[in-house]
Structures are given as structure tokens and as C-alpha cells.
Amino acid sequence: AALISLENVDKRYESTNGSGTDALTNISFSVASGEFVTVVGPSGCGKTTLIRLVGGLESPTSGAVRVDGRTVSGPSPNRAMVFQEHRLFPWLTVRENIAFGLVEAGVPERTRTERTDELLELVGLVEYSDMYPTALSGGMKQRVGLARALAVDPDILLMDEPFGSVDAQTRRTLQGELLDIWRETGKTVLFVTHDVEEAVRLGDRLLVMQNNPGRIRNSLDVDIARP
Ligand code: ADP
Ligand code: ADP
């Protein structure tokens, strides 16, 4: 059964002068539990809009966005988002950034510390736990962003070009780490990128989008050995 499903989704951004932008047109697809689906397409084709719809940060102009059979009506900790610009809190340490969602959820301190320790281990940042984000490289910041997203144990990870601003070598490393984490945790991942190579390396299935208006042109099962 589908965990995420979009049915004939249109998204139009209206502007005050009466014109507007059709960001997405007639998008339909579904993602099964545990699948890793990548969406690839040129800048401006609507990838961020797509992720924000599933995340509950935008609503469709028409059509349905459902998770677990229920219409998405807003953000939920069960659908964690990871952004290109990581959006870490600069006034919190690595450990505190990772624990942020657990504090919000009212998880007791002892459990919080245990969980945060596990995550620091998982993303290889144990030695950096008391540093502030400004002291970290771009790749490390993305690892913190990923650990923070995983902290609340979401079923779904929604990733918007998370490795778009790191150098090619670091990107490769992070891609491998993400696949390891995915295999280990069984999360469902929806990952958007403009990088075709990245989309093919990571996804079980690849949805190809076109620009103007944003539509899905192709859906391919990726059958290439992953790293
Ligand atoms: P991508 O992530 O593929 O670059 P976006 O989803 O950011 O695509 O944008 C799709 C289209 O919608 C673009 O034409 C963009 O300019 C437009 N758009 C995105 N967000 C907004 C917004 N908040 N208001 C108006 N237009 C927007
Ligand atoms: P990306 O290409 O990394 O997906 P963009 O640079 O297109 O992101 O957009 C960054 C932010 O600006 C997004 O939140 C998007 O919704 C918003 N945005 C994009 N295009 C427009 C636009 N034409 N008008 C208003 N907001 C926009």
C-alpha cells in the first residue's frame, strides 16, 4: 500500500497583480513504505514545491496529497525535512541541535541524551558534539541536519537537495552514508535533486520532472548497483 500518494496535484502560486506561476501540473505518484524515491529535474521545475506539499508546508491548489491514506493538512514530526541550507540553530551546539525535536516532544533528559549519543555515533560526529555549527564544514552541517531529522524517528524523510552545496567528494561520502542509514533504519525517503547522477545513485525509483509547467515526464526503476 502507498505510504505517500499524490493524485492529480496542481500547485499555482498566485501573485497580487493577477498573474501567477503554475509550479506543478497534474502530478500523480505514490511511494511505498521503505522505498527510496528520487525526483530529478531542472531548477524551477517544482521540486521544492513538491517536497513542501508532502511536508505540509504548502497546500495543493487542486488534487490530493495523502500520507498513510490521510490528507496532509500541515507539518508532522512523522515527516522530517532536510534542507539544502541545513537551517541549524547557530546558538545551539551540535548535540543541542540534534536534540531539539526531542526537547520539543517532551522526551525526558536521560532518554534524550541516550538517543542523541546514538545519533552522534550514527553520523560520525561524536567528537564534535559540543561545537557550534559555525565551526563545522558544510558536510558536517548536513550530517547534523540529518541526525536532527532522524531524532524524532520519523517514518518519512523529505530531502530537498541536501548535498547541493557541498563539494563533489564530500557529496559522494554523504550519499553513501545516507544509503547506509536508509538500509539500517528502513525509512521511506523522498529525495529531490537537479543532479541526475545523484538521483540514479540513490533512488530505487527515479521520477523525472520537466519544467514549465512542472510535470512528471517519466518514472524509471533504477537497476544500477549502488555503492
Ligand atoms: P525547484 O525546486 O525545482 O527549483 P520550485 O518549487 O522552487 O522549483 O519552483 C517552481 C516554480 O514556482 C518556479 O517558477 C518558482 O519561481 C515558483 N515559485 C516557487 N515558490 C514560489 C512562491 N512562494 N511564490 C511564487 N512563485 C514561487
Ligand atoms: P531551490 O532552487 O533551491 O529549490 P529556490 O532558490 O528556487 O530554491 O527558492 C528558494 C525559496 O524561495 C523557496 O522557499 C521558494 O518557495 C521561494 N521562491 C522561489 N521562487 C519564488 C518566487 N518567484 N517568488 C517567491 N518565492 C519564491
Side-chain angles (χ1 to χ4, degrees):
L3 180 59
I4 303 170
S5 77
L6 278 77
E7 229 175 276
N8 306 113
V9 168
D10 295 327
K11 178 64 183 179
R12 180 176 174 81
Y13 294 105
E14 295 296 348
S15 63
T16 42
N17 66 11
S19 69
T21 305
D22 290 309
L24 296 173
T25 307
N26 200 28
I27 300 282
S28 300
F29 67 90
S30 59
V31 179
S33 181
E35 232 185 336
F36 194 135
V37 172
T38 51
V39 179
V40 68
S43 182
C45 74
K47 302 183 296 298
T48 294
T49 300
L50 187 68
I51 282 283
R52 289 172 60 85
L53 283 166
V54 180
L57 304 178
E58 299 277 359
S59 341
T61 306
S62 61
V65 180
R66 294 194 187 90
V67 170
D68 242 339
R70 295 165 64 186
T71 301
V72 168
S73 60
S76 151
N78 195 37
R79 286 170 265 126
M81 302 189 60
V82 182
F83 307 96
Q84 176 170 356
E85 348 70 71
H86 55 78
R87 305 189 192 178
L88 302 179
F89 303 112
W91 59 87
L92 299 179
T93 64
V94 166
R95 167 181 288 285
E96 290 164 345
N97 265 283
I98 294 174
F100 185 80
L102 299 173
V103 175
E104 293 256 283
V107 172
E109 189 178 351
R110 186 148 159 221
T111 317
R112 221 160 65 206
T113 305
E114 279 171 19
R115 179 84 186 119
T116 308
D117 284 342
E118 280 170 25
L119 287 159
L120 284 162
E121 188 84 43
L122 185 71
V123 298
L125 289 177
V126 174
E127 297 100 289
Y128 302 90
S129 63
D130 295 323
M131 289 192 183
Y132 287 88
T134 46
L136 303 179
S137 68
M140 288 177 187
K141 286 180 199 164
Q142 288 304 343
R143 289 195 182 99
V144 180
L146 179 59
R148 182 179 59 181
L150 290 168
V152 292
D153 202 21
D155 287 330
I156 300 174
L157 279 178
L158 301 172
M159 310 189 76
D160 187 3
E161 305 236 10
F163 310 144
S165 56
V166 298
D167 64 85
Q169 199 186 333
T170 307
R171 188 179 312 143
R172 282 249 160 179
T173 308
L174 291 172
Q175 288 167 349
E177 290 174 7
L178 175 61
L179 284 175
D180 288 344
I181 288 169
W182 171 68
R183 290 188 188 105
E184 215 168 291
T185 61
K187 302 288 179 207
T188 305
V189 183
L190 184 62
F191 186 110
V192 308
T193 177
H194 66 268
D195 180 344
V196 178
E197 194 195 342
E198 176 165 76
V200 171
R201 277 172 71 86
L202 292 177
D204 284 325
R205 190 150 54 91
L206 172 60
L207 302 175
V208 183
M209 287 185 73
Q210 72 175 36
N211 215 341
N212 295 327
R215 287 179 193 279
I216 291 177
R217 195 165 54 180
N218 241 318
S219 172
L220 309 165
D221 290 321
V222 178
D223 195 17
I224 296 172
R226 290 211 192 82

